[in-house]
Amino acid sequence: MDPIFSIRHLEFRRGESFSLAIEQIDFQAGQIYLLAGANGAGKSTLLQLLALLIAPDRGEIRFDGNTVKGAAGRHRFRRKITLVDQSPFLFDTTVYNNLAFGLRMRDVNGDLQRRRILKALNSVGLEGFENRRARALSGGESRRVALARALVIRPKVLLLDEPTAGLDDDSLSLFETNLAALSEAGVTVIMSTHDGGQARRLNGKVFRLENGRLTGAVETLSSEYCPMENVL
C-alpha cells in the first residue's frame, strides 16, 4: 500500500535565513508521527507543506498515491487534510458555530451535526462550551476549540502544530486517548511536540529536524531534543 504522504528531494526556502531540505520521508496511513526539534528547526514549515498551504521550491509531494501538482492539485486534496497551527483563527460567533462551519461545508446538518460537535467538544474537555463566544475564551480554551474543530470533520490526515500547549493533565490525557482512537480508525496524525513522553504514550514514530534537515527517526524523544523547560 502506498504511504499517505511521500516526500522526495524537497526544498523550500524562506528568505535568506532559512531553508528546508528533506531528501526522503514517508508517512503511512493510520499511524501517529511526531516531529521533534528546537524552535526554528522547520517543524511548522513542514506541516504547512504537508497541509498543501504552501508549495515547495523543488521536489515532489505525493498524497494518497497522487503527485500534487500546482495550485489546482493542492486545492484538490486540501479538504482531506486539516492543520491546527499554533495561533488558530476562530470566527466571532459561538463555539458551536465554529465547529459547525466545516460540517455544513460537508453537508452534515441536523442531529448528526450536533452529536458530532458535542462529542468533539467532550474529547478536548470542553463539554458545555457550545454556546460560549469563541473569542471570549482564554488562550488555552481557544486552542482546544481549534482542536475540536479539526476533529469534528474527521479528516484523512490531521496535522497539529504544538497541539497540547495549554492543556491541563486531564485534558491532555483525554486528547491523547482520542488521537489514539483516530489512528485506530485510519486517520494519520502528524504533530510537532516538545513533550518528551508523548511518543511513548501514543506509540508514535519520531522524526527529528535540525536546521531544516531531517536528522533521523527514533522511537522516543530525548531530553536533548525536548528540553523539559519547553514542556507545557
Side-chain angles (χ1 to χ4, degrees), residues 149-171:
R149 189 170 60 185
L151 295 175
V152 78
I153 61 174
R154 300 177 180 175
K156 198 161 191 175
V157 177
L158 179 59
L159 307 171
L160 303 166
D161 197 355
E162 299 287 350
T164 55
L167 297 187
D168 58 33
D169 288 344
D170 289 341
S171 297

Side-chain angles (χ1 to χ4, degrees), residues 36-170:
N39 292 336
K43 303 185 299 295
S44 296
T45 300
L46 178 55
L47 288 172
Q48 290 172 10
L49 285 160
L50 293 173
L52 308 181
L53 297 175
I54 56 176
D57 297 316
R58 176 179 174 270
E60 179 184 68
I61 297 177
R62 290 180 62 83
F63 174 74
D64 206 13
N66 301 279
T67 300
V68 180
K69 294 182 178 179
R74 294 196 306 275
H75 179 75
R76 175 187 171 193
F77 299 115
R78 196 176 292 155
R79 289 186 65 178
K80 299 180 180 180
I81 305 164
T82 297
L83 169 65
V84 179
D85 62 25
Q86 295 184 36
S87 301
F89 173 82
L90 298 181
F91 299 115
D92 189 16
T93 182
T94 64
V95 169
Y96 186 98
N97 284 335
N98 267 269
L99 270 66
F101 177 79
L103 292 176
R104 293 189 188 115
M105 295 291 290
R106 292 161 174 80
D107 295 322
V108 178
N109 296 289
D111 289 341
L112 177 59
Q113 178 191 104
R114 181 168 181 80
R115 288 197 303 271
R116 284 175 60 171
I117 288 173
L118 296 182
K119 181 178 180 181
L121 289 174
N122 183 62
S123 74
V124 296
L126 291 180
E127 185 176 4
F129 275 62
E130 57 267 24
N131 293 320
R132 298 198 188 187
R133 300 293 298 186
R135 293 192 181 177
L137 300 176
S138 69
E141 290 168 345
S142 296
R143 291 178 65 85
R144 282 187 275 171
V145 170
L147 290 171
R149 189 170 60 185
L151 295 175
V152 78
I153 61 174
R154 300 177 180 175
K156 198 161 191 175
V157 177
L158 179 59
L159 307 171
L160 303 166
D161 197 355
E162 299 287 350
T164 55
L167 297 187
D168 58 33
D169 288 344
D170 289 341

Side-chain angles (χ1 to χ4, degrees), residues 168-189:
D168 58 33
D169 288 344
D170 289 341
S171 297
L172 173 62
S173 177
L174 188 58
F175 176 65
E176 290 181 344
T177 297
N178 279 275
L179 284 189
L182 285 172
S183 175
E184 291 175 3
V187 176
T188 304
V189 178

